[in-house]
Amino acid sequence: MADRRTLIAITCASLIAVSATCSPESLVANSPLPPNVPDPASTQTPGGALASYYGTLTLFNVAFGGLASGGDINAVGVSGMMSDELLAETFGGPTGISDDEMAIDSRSLPEFASPQLETSGSGAEIYGALYGELQAVRGQANEARGLMSNFGPASDRVLIGHLYAIQGEAETLLADMFCSGIPLSTVDYNGDFTLQPGSSTLDVYRHAIALYDSALALSGDSVRFMNLASIGKGRALLATGDFAGAASAVAAIPDGFTYLENYPGPGIGHIGGETQSASQNFAAINPVIGQWPFSAADQEGVNGIDFRSSGDPRTTSSAVGSNAYGVTIYHPDKYSTDGSTPIVLADWEEARLIEAEAALEAGDLGTWLGKLNHLRESAIDPALPDLTDPGTPDARVDLTFRERAFWLYLTGHRQGDLRRLVRQYGRAETSVFPAGAYRGEHGNYGNDVTLPIPSAERAANSKFTGCINRGA
Amino acid sequence: MHVARWFVLAVLVGGTFAPVRAQVLSTSTKDSSNTSVAPLRRPVTLAMHDVTVVSAIQAIDQQANLRLSYTDRLPHLDRHISIAVTNMPAGDALSKVLAGTGIVMRVTDKGRITLVRQERHTAIDVIPDTVPGEVWGRVTDSVTSKPLEGAIVSVIGTKLTATSNDSGYYWLNPVPSGLATIVTRMVGFHPITREMAVISGQQNREDFKLGMEMSRLEEVVTTATGPRRRIELGNDITILNVDSIAATQPIQSVTDLLATRVPGLTVIRTTGAPGDPSRLRLRGIHSALEDNDPILIVDGVRMYSDQSAARSGNLAAYRTSNGYNPPAPASIDQIDPNSIETIEVLKGPSAATLYGSDAANGVIVITTKHGSTGPARWSAHTDYGITYQPGTYPQGYYRWGHRLGNNQTVSCALRDQTCVLDSVVRFQLLNVPLYSPLGHGSRTGNTLGVSGGTNAITYNVTGSFSDEVGLLELPPYEVTQFQAEKGIAPPSWMMHPQHYKDWSASTGLTMKLSSTANVSLQSSLSRSNQDRSTLEAELPSLMAMYVDSTNGKFYGAIGNTIQEQFGLLRDFFQKVTAQATTFNNGVNLNWQALPWLTLTGDAGMNSINRDDRIALPRDLAPYGPDTVGNVSIGLGNSLMKNVNLRATAVTSLPLGFKMQTSLGANYTGTSLEDFQIAGSNLAVGTTSLNGAGQIVEPTENQSDLATFGWYIEPTFSRRNLWLSTGLRLDGGSTFGSHASLPAFPKISLSYLISDEKFFPFKKLFNTLRLRAAYGQAGVQPGIGDKLRLFHEQQTWYDSGFVTTTTLNTLGNTHLRPERSKEFEGGFDADMFDDNLTVGFSGYQNTRFDALIPVPVPPSVYGYLINSVLENVGVIRNTGIEISAGVTPVRTDLVTWGLTATLSRNTNKVLSLAQGVTPFFDATGTARVVAGYPLYGRWARPILGYQDLNKNGIIESSEVQVGDSLVYMGQSDPDFVANFSTHLSLFRSHVTVDADFQYQGGLTQLNQSVLTDRVFSQALNDPHAALGEQAAVAAMDRTTYGEYQTVSTFRFNSLSIAYAVPNSAARLFRAQAMSVALQGSNLGLFTNYRGKDPNVNAYATGNAVADTGQLPLPRNWQVRVSATY
């Protein structure tokens, strides 16, 4: 009996010893990735590279004019609020309007030294998210280019050019919206990331121009991508003050070219019977609460353009209900209320406007007026009456920018244009941006003409010390 | 036989030891020179079931060769009993057999052992006699009256020692007649020394009721390699005897048990809401990772307790409209404290090396009750209490004035030169019942338990239920508004949104499979339901709100300005629920396969199922357009499985040394599955997805992790010296396929120097133990931390769905495991006849290659990637821990004891790796800088201020703010002291217990100061100190004024208990009853400007901030306890 027990004991002890000395690695080291985490190796295929390419495009699609989780965090919406295109109407705050949207709409956007100072209502929730979305496009574009270069089929190399152009658009929007001092940090394909200090507004535009040049060099097989890059380059060159260069960049854009960001609207985005969100544009009326988070502005803040009251067919709008205080909300007729209307990212109209402004800058008044009237005759049906030369340089500039405001209404251009008026034409900020009493009961407009960089950047980027300049 | 033993030993230690002559182990007592009692100390092993008493006596007689004398006329010799003992002294075994028979042993002065009938004596004769007497009695817990097994009863001045059996009985014989001093000791209890008269030739009864004490050297500690006596370990390990604490303290959770009783442990509460979690940190912030949580082991089974993980919050979080991110109850508090026998706290790598790399932040080992032999013993208690918020909130200032020029009535800021002041009012809505949501809460709790057993099986079953309604309630003003708008009264959950219910059932069972093997089974099932609402998140804004009584308008702080508010509350209509169902079970098998070889196996699993929801019922929002309802649902499951196998061999070595070698392996697998979905446009009357008009955003997260390790621990001992060494090799799926296998060594030394002959202070020290320990542990990077991972989904683009991928993590292929090395040294002393106990520990814990989630700025990849893990440098924690217990008064009528623990911890980032620059954590509130504490507080300093325009007011432009950040303090307390006192009156019929805690060194971020600043005295009262004005005026540029290094002294709890006379208890058919009045959070004395610095807005991570969340409430309750 004792011998038997001894034998069992020794056997068990030996089993424990053997199990203890076997390789732990062999038991547990090769656990598979969780099923919800794609195997990194799957991206290193032609299909994976293409998925990364589409990842870039969809990130930009949302950042430019789509509905993210916040509903109004996109370049078109924020540009509209900062400028005279849109009024903030998002419900939620103690004043009846979301404090964050109101801070942007009223241009009261102090730059904070640390995240904990960015309290609710400072606007940081909105502009911080927009900043992140546009920067994510930059990072993803770089990642996708790496995958496309290494694993994409040779026939798709033109898509790499497309990625350069999209990144250029993201950087142009960053430069239009945010203060001077935007860090253009990089995440390297298959490697590390590199932090960068803030770049001046001018340097960001120049960086975007270089991206457009790369796009042009690689997009030869795609007229669509070439034209997108050309118009983008023209827009960025215009922002740097290189009017002639801008006109040259867009000279080859044929009438009728349009590059659209498409949004399917409700009822289309279904997978497996479940409705997908974030497939509508900024103009969608929230089907749940039945309210649009903006209202089309008219002569906002003294200096605003009479978008609505002018009766101009390019900027008409219709009442779609009222806010919590009973104030009527206007929705632009240009866009459907279900958020399914495409938004123009770049088109021939912008090309002609760039050429017109360059001609004005060069003193070629005939070309200037001709380009503007060509658009009024060809780009809308029925045609608009021709414009006449108002006779003074300032009035010509006013007319040019008014035409830009109407043609490019709610496409994310207006904020950049207002800044250019200050920067390139010497206009006072208070004569360009909405000013004076803010909507009657909420104090006055602030003095900010740019969005600050969110303090999360300062907290994590040792090379970034804040905006270089909050001016235009 | 011997060859077999050495074969196993050779396997265990790798064949490095040469065989020496083995000796059969015995459990003989200290002295065997007394020939009269020596036979009774011979070990016997019995496994007899349903045999007569005489058969058992004969078996003992035969094994120990006692040569017993007795007659068959003794009573109850034919009674049937069962007995199973292993290597038990024959005397103790005989006592077990004879218990309750009326038969006792007598030993003559010539060593002859006789069994005789027990005789009654009616008088005590204090007459010295050469014939010895006998002493017997029962040892019980003074609080619970439960029998104590294993108490050591000794006669001072003799070598006589006995151990109480599982019914608490002991027996001493022969005891010299006359006056004798008898001392009774038991691990975890105060010893009792008592003089008594031993009557010659008589049986003298003396019972002892032992009171709990914090720690003793003889306590048995559960280590990774099995139970050890504390004295054998080189580490300081805190052991809590839960029944004794719970009997005299208002304990409602495991966190309550730990909060003020473990030196080196800091507990930071999340909020004062019922059921909210706490952050536990042992010996400071060890790891720079967010996860600094100790691991939790219940009866050998790992329990999921990653309180720092993001999923510890409400799984349906980020859906509330006012940005409220509610935490969820902690898994450690899913354990019913009433089911726990002991809690042991291992504080660092030097103690926890063999638990594996997960244990680098300490280990909390919980042992549940498994019962003891004897008839079924029922115990029950019921509580009823109330909670409320003590004190009042500080008042704010509001300046009424009119505008120059148009006479418009406005809020007239102090610095507004265009305004003429009319009046200054002081206010605080939270102090006004009409507007305040601070009311009264209540709590009831009930527990019923039964334990008992036979020699073959013991059991314990405990069931508990508690129901707590929090103190928050919808302000009467808002109730009226709601009724006016909706035409109905607010639903009950909206009126009293905080509701926490939990119930638990647990069983523990130990069965003897044979004389050398037993198996323990434990199982528990618990469920907690926590309800709350977004009303909680309104407290900060209510603190900074003013109501104009003339027109009923509300004014609040928006940034730097005062603006009219839409109403009193922005949001109180979203219901937040968190439900967790926890199932623990485990099995433990012990087999003493051979006298020198023990085999142990543990296996178990812990499963936690969660169902969290945030819902806005349709049509219940009193204002605003979102009236169609929405719901967000988070479902989660964690499953931990573990298996431990261990072999322990003991052998004797030359020169009186003994070696014990343990070899073991363990495996822990963790599976996490979380699923989130949301819907809107809900069906009327529901908060369900059924019938929802829109279902959006389903997300799923899964992960499977596993760790495997093996260890060896040879321990050498010789009389009063224990040297333990060990090595653990760790592997795991989190290591990455190319990582090397980390090896973690340990060594510890324990030396009972007071037992040495040369020890010169024997009169001063009853015992003095010196100890030292060194150990290593590590923290592994997660698998996703090394890899660049992607997020893939189907996304609509242009004209249809396409597959898109975006980056999910950046990855860092250069990561190395974090390694922690800890040295600990100290001593334990019992002094002045055990009236004073002192323990001291000093430690230094150094983390190399510290893993830190370095924030990635949005310029890299937006907010889709916020951080990347890096090995950033070296972090060191250095500290001391002191514990002391003293009993200044110890009489039959009155006992008064005091205990105190003090701990001091200094934390510093020694260096940052090359290329790593100082950075803020993800919250942006704490920073990592070499030479300063990890996650210290930093801010741009106020360098000076001057009233340049001589208007008596400091304006922002008159404050000079430095450009460079300066260090403000550390984010966890560096000094913690706990004091407790126990007063027992009238032979323990009345007991008074109180405990207090002091904390210092915590630099708190008081964000409510930021919110309130427009209503602050500094901004509104020109008589405010200029320094205060400067601090507030500069808040648009620096958080300098928000930081405060705080000291707190909290009257933590008070309990006054009365033991009902037995005659009264019997009216309720109870053996014993007690009634106690108990209170907690009874006082707070602090220099903090906010309401309560010991609550934290962050449920995860390492940051600490007070944003104005609900402070800890005050609680008073009555507890009635009874045993049957």
Side-chain angles (χ1 to χ4, degrees), chain A residues 23 29 33 42 48 74 117 120 146 170 181 219 277 279 285 309 343 355 369 408 415 428 452:
Chain A
S23 168
L33 284 167
S42 69
N74 51 69
L117 291 173
S120 176
S219 305
S277 61
S279 54
I285 290 180
S309 56
I343 305 176
E355 291 168 348
L369 202 56
L408 303 176
Q415 164 69 3

PDB file of all heavy atoms in Angstrom, chain A residues 23 29 33 42 48 74 117 120 146 170 181 219 277 279 285 309 343 355 369 408 415 428 452:
ATOM      1  N   SER A  23       8.383  24.638 -22.050  1.00  0.00           N
ATOM      2  CA  SER A  23       8.509  26.032 -22.460  1.00  0.00           C
ATOM      3  C   SER A  23       7.202  26.787 -22.299  1.00  0.00           C
ATOM      4  O   SER A  23       6.196  26.433 -22.918  1.00  0.00           O
ATOM      5  CB  SER A  23       8.936  26.097 -23.917  1.00  0.00           C
ATOM      6  OG  SER A  23       8.793  27.420 -24.386  1.00  0.00           O
ATOM      7  N   ALA A  29       2.618  31.845 -26.216  1.00  0.00           N
ATOM      8  CA  ALA A  29       3.198  32.986 -26.916  1.00  0.00           C
ATOM      9  C   ALA A  29       2.518  33.285 -28.231  1.00  0.00           C
ATOM     10  O   ALA A  29       2.545  34.407 -28.702  1.00  0.00           O
ATOM     11  CB  ALA A  29       4.676  32.750 -27.152  1.00  0.00           C
ATOM     12  N   LEU A  33      -4.443  36.951 -32.666  1.00  0.00           N
ATOM     13  CA  LEU A  33      -5.013  38.261 -32.404  1.00  0.00           C
ATOM     14  C   LEU A  33      -6.515  38.093 -32.188  1.00  0.00           C
ATOM     15  O   LEU A  33      -7.118  37.168 -32.714  1.00  0.00           O
ATOM     16  CB  LEU A  33      -4.770  39.176 -33.604  1.00  0.00           C
ATOM     17  CG  LEU A  33      -3.357  39.706 -33.747  1.00  0.00           C
ATOM     18  CD1 LEU A  33      -3.166  40.319 -35.124  1.00  0.00           C
ATOM     19  CD2 LEU A  33      -3.061  40.733 -32.677  1.00  0.00           C
ATOM     20  N   SER A  42      -2.615  41.373 -43.287  1.00  0.00           N
ATOM     21  CA  SER A  42      -3.660  41.461 -44.306  1.00  0.00           C
ATOM     22  C   SER A  42      -3.648  42.798 -45.023  1.00  0.00           C
ATOM     23  O   SER A  42      -4.213  42.938 -46.113  1.00  0.00           O
ATOM     24  CB  SER A  42      -5.037  41.237 -43.663  1.00  0.00           C
ATOM     25  OG  SER A  42      -5.359  42.330 -42.824  1.00  0.00           O
ATOM     26  N   GLY A  48      -5.332  45.027 -49.317  1.00  0.00           N
ATOM     27  CA  GLY A  48      -5.107  45.765 -48.087  1.00  0.00           C
ATOM     28  C   GLY A  48      -4.662  47.190 -48.361  1.00  0.00           C
ATOM     29  O   GLY A  48      -5.080  48.136 -47.687  1.00  0.00           O
ATOM     30  N   ASN A  74     -17.058  69.512 -38.994  1.00  0.00           N
ATOM     31  CA  ASN A  74     -16.521  69.339 -40.338  1.00  0.00           C
ATOM     32  C   ASN A  74     -16.100  70.710 -40.845  1.00  0.00           C
ATOM     33  O   ASN A  74     -16.508  71.748 -40.311  1.00  0.00           O
ATOM     34  CB  ASN A  74     -17.552  68.694 -41.268  1.00  0.00           C
ATOM     35  CG  ASN A  74     -18.878  69.422 -41.229  1.00  0.00           C
ATOM     36  OD1 ASN A  74     -18.988  70.551 -41.695  1.00  0.00           O
ATOM     37  ND2 ASN A  74     -19.889  68.785 -40.641  1.00  0.00           N
ATOM     38  N   LEU A 117      -7.991  73.695 -18.964  1.00  0.00           N
ATOM     39  CA  LEU A 117      -8.575  75.025 -19.095  1.00  0.00           C
ATOM     40  C   LEU A 117      -9.587  75.080 -20.223  1.00  0.00           C
ATOM     41  O   LEU A 117     -10.396  75.999 -20.306  1.00  0.00           O
ATOM     42  CB  LEU A 117      -7.467  76.059 -19.342  1.00  0.00           C
ATOM     43  CG  LEU A 117      -6.537  76.327 -18.159  1.00  0.00           C
ATOM     44  CD1 LEU A 117      -5.398  77.235 -18.572  1.00  0.00           C
ATOM     45  CD2 LEU A 117      -7.302  76.946 -17.013  1.00  0.00           C
ATOM     46  N   SER A 120     -15.836  73.156 -21.008  1.00  0.00           N
ATOM     47  CA  SER A 120     -16.999  73.052 -21.879  1.00  0.00           C
ATOM     48  C   SER A 120     -17.502  74.448 -22.221  1.00  0.00           C
ATOM     49  O   SER A 120     -17.596  75.310 -21.369  1.00  0.00           O
ATOM     50  CB  SER A 120     -18.092  72.259 -21.157  1.00  0.00           C
ATOM     51  OG  SER A 120     -19.251  72.215 -21.943  1.00  0.00           O
ATOM     52  N   GLY A 146       2.395  54.500 -48.416  1.00  0.00           N
ATOM     53  CA  GLY A 146       3.408  53.481 -48.185  1.00  0.00           C
ATOM     54  C   GLY A 146       2.928  52.105 -48.607  1.00  0.00           C
ATOM     55  O   GLY A 146       3.643  51.343 -49.263  1.00  0.00           O
ATOM     56  N   ALA A 170      -6.434  68.534 -47.236  1.00  0.00           N
ATOM     57  CA  ALA A 170      -6.529  68.577 -45.770  1.00  0.00           C
ATOM     58  C   ALA A 170      -5.630  69.676 -45.208  1.00  0.00           C
ATOM     59  O   ALA A 170      -6.020  70.426 -44.298  1.00  0.00           O
ATOM     60  CB  ALA A 170      -6.137  67.221 -45.180  1.00  0.00           C
ATOM     61  N   GLY A 181       1.014  78.430 -37.135  1.00  0.00           N
ATOM     62  CA  GLY A 181       1.721  77.613 -36.142  1.00  0.00           C
ATOM     63  C   GLY A 181       1.164  76.208 -36.082  1.00  0.00           C
ATOM     64  O   GLY A 181       1.033  75.630 -34.997  1.00  0.00           O
ATOM     65  N   SER A 219      -0.315  61.585 -61.246  1.00  0.00           N
ATOM     66  CA  SER A 219      -1.717  61.376 -61.638  1.00  0.00           C
ATOM     67  C   SER A 219      -1.956  61.523 -63.124  1.00  0.00           C
ATOM     68  O   SER A 219      -3.082  61.791 -63.552  1.00  0.00           O
ATOM     69  CB  SER A 219      -2.624  62.354 -60.882  1.00  0.00           C
ATOM     70  OG  SER A 219      -2.424  62.238 -59.512  1.00  0.00           O
ATOM     71  N   SER A 277     -24.523  55.160 -39.813  1.00  0.00           N
ATOM     72  CA  SER A 277     -24.561  56.611 -39.715  1.00  0.00           C
ATOM     73  C   SER A 277     -23.344  57.185 -40.427  1.00  0.00           C
ATOM     74  O   SER A 277     -22.568  56.471 -41.054  1.00  0.00           O
ATOM     75  CB  SER A 277     -24.568  57.031 -38.251  1.00  0.00           C
ATOM     76  OG  SER A 277     -23.398  56.577 -37.629  1.00  0.00           O
ATOM     77  N   SER A 279     -23.053  58.900 -43.000  1.00  0.00           N
ATOM     78  CA  SER A 279     -23.024  58.892 -44.446  1.00  0.00           C
ATOM     79  C   SER A 279     -23.839  60.065 -44.996  1.00  0.00           C
ATOM     80  O   SER A 279     -24.211  60.082 -46.144  1.00  0.00           O
ATOM     81  CB  SER A 279     -23.570  57.566 -44.979  1.00  0.00           C
ATOM     82  OG  SER A 279     -24.851  57.322 -44.436  1.00  0.00           O
ATOM     83  N   ILE A 285     -30.726  67.422 -41.769  1.00  0.00           N
ATOM     84  CA  ILE A 285     -31.502  67.705 -40.570  1.00  0.00           C
ATOM     85  C   ILE A 285     -31.543  66.432 -39.738  1.00  0.00           C
ATOM     86  O   ILE A 285     -31.853  65.362 -40.256  1.00  0.00           O
ATOM     87  CB  ILE A 285     -32.925  68.166 -40.942  1.00  0.00           C
ATOM     88  CG1 ILE A 285     -32.858  69.568 -41.576  1.00  0.00           C
ATOM     89  CG2 ILE A 285     -33.840  68.157 -39.730  1.00  0.00           C
ATOM     90  CD1 ILE A 285     -34.196  70.116 -41.986  1.00  0.00           C
ATOM     91  N   SER A 309     -31.150  87.550 -48.139  1.00  0.00           N
ATOM     92  CA  SER A 309     -31.997  88.680 -48.526  1.00  0.00           C
ATOM     93  C   SER A 309     -31.695  89.198 -49.922  1.00  0.00           C
ATOM     94  O   SER A 309     -32.518  89.899 -50.515  1.00  0.00           O
ATOM     95  CB  SER A 309     -31.860  89.809 -47.500  1.00  0.00           C
ATOM     96  OG  SER A 309     -30.499  90.189 -47.369  1.00  0.00           O
ATOM     97  N   ILE A 343     -21.029  67.639 -52.038  1.00  0.00           N
ATOM     98  CA  ILE A 343     -20.416  68.949 -51.812  1.00  0.00           C
ATOM     99  C   ILE A 343     -19.217  69.063 -52.742  1.00  0.00           C
ATOM    100  O   ILE A 343     -18.407  68.138 -52.857  1.00  0.00           O
ATOM    101  CB  ILE A 343     -19.951  69.110 -50.353  1.00  0.00           C
ATOM    102  CG1 ILE A 343     -21.116  68.853 -49.391  1.00  0.00           C
ATOM    103  CG2 ILE A 343     -19.376  70.492 -50.129  1.00  0.00           C
ATOM    104  CD1 ILE A 343     -20.714  68.897 -47.923  1.00  0.00           C
ATOM    105  N   GLU A 355      -8.624  82.554 -61.693  1.00  0.00           N
ATOM    106  CA  GLU A 355      -8.097  83.295 -62.852  1.00  0.00           C
ATOM    107  C   GLU A 355      -8.570  84.746 -62.821  1.00  0.00           C
ATOM    108  O   GLU A 355      -7.812  85.678 -63.139  1.00  0.00           O
ATOM    109  CB  GLU A 355      -8.565  82.621 -64.145  1.00  0.00           C
ATOM    110  CG  GLU A 355      -7.918  81.258 -64.383  1.00  0.00           C
ATOM    111  CD  GLU A 355      -8.584  80.465 -65.486  1.00  0.00           C
ATOM    112  OE1 GLU A 355      -9.693  80.865 -65.913  1.00  0.00           O
ATOM    113  OE2 GLU A 355      -8.027  79.454 -65.910  1.00  0.00           O
ATOM    114  N   LEU A 369     -13.253  90.812 -65.363  1.00  0.00           N
ATOM    115  CA  LEU A 369     -14.699  90.886 -65.462  1.00  0.00           C
ATOM    116  C   LEU A 369     -15.241  89.809 -66.398  1.00  0.00           C
ATOM    117  O   LEU A 369     -16.324  89.239 -66.164  1.00  0.00           O
ATOM    118  CB  LEU A 369     -15.111  92.279 -65.962  1.00  0.00           C
ATOM    119  CG  LEU A 369     -16.544  92.692 -65.642  1.00  0.00           C
ATOM    120  CD1 LEU A 369     -16.813  92.628 -64.142  1.00  0.00           C
ATOM    121  CD2 LEU A 369     -16.810  94.107 -66.157  1.00  0.00           C
ATOM    122  N   LEU A 408     -18.990  79.861 -54.255  1.00  0.00           N
ATOM    123  CA  LEU A 408     -18.389  78.830 -53.387  1.00  0.00           C
ATOM    124  C   LEU A 408     -19.141  78.714 -52.052  1.00  0.00           C
ATOM    125  O   LEU A 408     -18.598  78.245 -51.052  1.00  0.00           O
ATOM    126  CB  LEU A 408     -16.917  79.164 -53.109  1.00  0.00           C
ATOM    127  CG  LEU A 408     -16.038  79.316 -54.352  1.00  0.00           C
ATOM    128  CD1 LEU A 408     -14.624  79.735 -53.970  1.00  0.00           C
ATOM    129  CD2 LEU A 408     -16.004  78.005 -55.141  1.00  0.00           C
ATOM    130  N   GLN A 415     -14.059  81.021 -44.914  1.00  0.00           N
ATOM    131  CA  GLN A 415     -13.153  81.406 -43.836  1.00  0.00           C
ATOM    132  C   GLN A 415     -11.783  81.778 -44.386  1.00  0.00           C
ATOM    133  O   GLN A 415     -11.192  82.793 -44.001  1.00  0.00           O
ATOM    134  CB  GLN A 415     -13.038  80.256 -42.820  1.00  0.00           C
ATOM    135  CG  GLN A 415     -11.856  80.332 -41.855  1.00  0.00           C
ATOM    136  CD  GLN A 415     -11.982  81.470 -40.854  1.00  0.00           C
ATOM    137  OE1 GLN A 415     -12.988  82.189 -40.835  1.00  0.00           O
ATOM    138  NE2 GLN A 415     -10.951  81.661 -40.053  1.00  0.00           N
ATOM    139  N   ALA A 428      -9.387  95.603 -42.473  1.00  0.00           N
ATOM    140  CA  ALA A 428      -9.451  95.413 -41.018  1.00  0.00           C
ATOM    141  C   ALA A 428     -10.304  94.189 -40.697  1.00  0.00           C
ATOM    142  O   ALA A 428     -11.307  93.933 -41.380  1.00  0.00           O
ATOM    143  CB  ALA A 428     -10.048  96.654 -40.351  1.00  0.00           C
ATOM    144  N   PRO A 452      -7.796  78.361 -32.631  1.00  0.00           N
ATOM    145  CA  PRO A 452      -6.529  77.999 -31.968  1.00  0.00           C
ATOM    146  C   PRO A 452      -6.220  76.520 -32.149  1.00  0.00           C
ATOM    147  O   PRO A 452      -7.115  75.712 -32.416  1.00  0.00           O
ATOM    148  CB  PRO A 452      -6.791  78.334 -30.505  1.00  0.00           C
ATOM    149  CG  PRO A 452      -8.273  78.255 -30.347  1.00  0.00           C
ATOM    150  CD  PRO A 452      -8.878  78.605 -31.666  1.00  0.00           C
TER     151      PRO A 452
END
